[in-house]
Amino acid sequence: MATTRTAHTVWEGNLLEGGGTVSLDSSGAGEYAVSWPSRAEEPDGRTSPEELIAAAHSSCFSMALSNGLSKAGTPPTRLTTRAEVTFQPGTGITGVHLTVSGEVPGMDEEAFTAAAEDAKVNCPVSQALTGTTITLTASLG
């Protein structure tokens, strides 16, 4: 069954001096301030589209990797994934780097890296970002 999730943003003012609030509507998990400086300079307590993409990508990738490992008979004890989304003003998003560390009993480093590469290619957020270079560092421990 397909699902749809929603969020909305209310923005006031121009790009450089204005600001807004992004609301996670489906979950009701919160409202977050967003501004151009939080996107192109320092966050200063506000979020950005890139940080929200990083959150989506790290969680999606972790789910895909956990599923792949479990289907292979080596379910993970723990996966810790960091997504770094790079934004260049005037250019846009220039890349995503995923770093995953896993605790997977009975699995060696080579097999873990292969499973992580598969998850990188096949998680739905990676597929939605196919126009962006996505790199990966994977390790056990």
Side-chain angles (χ1 to χ4, degrees), residues 7-67:
H8 79 275
T9 299
V10 175
W11 185 271
E12 296 177 351
N14 67 32
L15 174 62
L16 299 179
E17 297 165 5
T21 303
V22 60
S23 300
L24 306 182
D25 298 330
S26 299
S27 65
E31 296 182 345
Y32 303 94
V34 64
S35 68
W36 177 255
S38 69
R39 187 175 197 186
E41 299 167 18
E42 291 300 315
D44 196 28
R46 297 180 183 103
T47 193
S48 67
E50 291 72 28
E51 184 178 34
L52 296 169
I53 290 170
H57 206 174
S58 67
S59 59
C60 181
F61 171 85
S62 294
M63 289 180 197
L65 181 53
S66 176
N67 186 48

Side-chain angles (χ1 to χ4, degrees), residues 47-136:
T47 193
S48 67
E50 291 72 28
E51 184 178 34
L52 296 169
I53 290 170
H57 206 174
S58 67
S59 59
C60 181
F61 171 85
S62 294
M63 289 180 197
L65 181 53
S66 176
N67 186 48
L69 292 169
S70 295
K71 284 183 174 181
T74 52
T77 302
R78 175 186 290 252
L79 299 171
T80 303
T81 304
R82 175 183 179 90
E84 298 170 83
V85 176
T86 302
F87 173 75
Q88 177 64 48
T91 302
I93 294 173
T94 59
V96 178
H97 184 73
L98 299 169
T99 303
V100 62
S101 175
E103 296 174 19
V104 187
M107 179 166 269
D108 65 24
E109 197 84 31
E110 185 177 331
F112 181 72
T113 298
E117 286 289 345
D118 183 68
K120 179 189 87 169
V121 171
N122 291 305
C123 96
V125 172
S126 289
Q127 291 177 349
L129 297 172
T130 55
T132 302
T133 300
I134 302 170
T135 55
L136 172 70

